[in-house]
Amino acid sequence: MSISIAQSRQQLSSLIALAQQQPQFITNRNKPVAVLVSTDYFARNQVAVQTDARSLFDRVQGLRDKFAPQDETGLDAAQSSPRKTAWQRGNAFSDTVQN
């Protein structure tokens, strides 16, 4: 169901009751601007989003560990001195090198 902001102000309690069954879209000049959902619906979707984000992060970390460079690029994890970042290195437009 879709309802305007003005109508949602007048019918807030009934809109909340309807949101317990299905998400309610709130519009402003016929454009969707918000969705009112039940706390159960929100909690279920939050868990799903967090689980997907965590599993993606874990997969990326696993790939980074598995395929870490092992050559003279200076990116080796066992290297004791940290590699200088781009803003720390000198370049063609700079006369000085930052430490």
Side-chain angles (χ1 to χ4, degrees), residues 57-76:
F57 178 76
D58 291 338
R59 283 188 246 154
V60 169
Q61 284 298 101
L63 288 172
R64 289 180 75 184
D65 294 340
K66 183 176 180 179
F67 297 107
Q70 301 296 322
D71 57 10
E72 60 278 350
T73 61
L75 297 176
D76 190 5

Side-chain angles (χ1 to χ4, degrees), residues 12-89:
L12 183 59
S13 59
S14 63
L15 189 61
I16 291 172
L18 289 171
Q20 300 305 312
Q21 291 139 16
Q22 66 181 7
Q24 302 298 309
F25 294 90
I26 300 173
T27 61
N28 184 16
R29 296 188 177 133
N30 294 325
K31 288 186 178 182
V33 294
V35 178
L36 182 65
V37 296
S38 68
T39 55
D40 292 336
Y41 181 91
F42 182 77
R44 283 193 311 270
N45 286 303
Q46 282 295 103
V47 168
V49 168
Q50 290 172 353
T51 302
D52 287 345
R54 174 47 69 188
S55 65
L56 176 62
F57 178 76
D58 291 338
R59 283 188 246 154
V60 169
Q61 284 298 101
L63 288 172
R64 289 180 75 184
D65 294 340
K66 183 176 180 179
F67 297 107
Q70 301 296 322
D71 57 10
E72 60 278 350
T73 61
L75 297 176
D76 190 5
Q79 186 178 7
S80 61
S81 64
R83 183 173 181 220
K84 290 186 177 180
T85 59
W87 63 271
Q88 293 172 319
R89 292 189 301 263

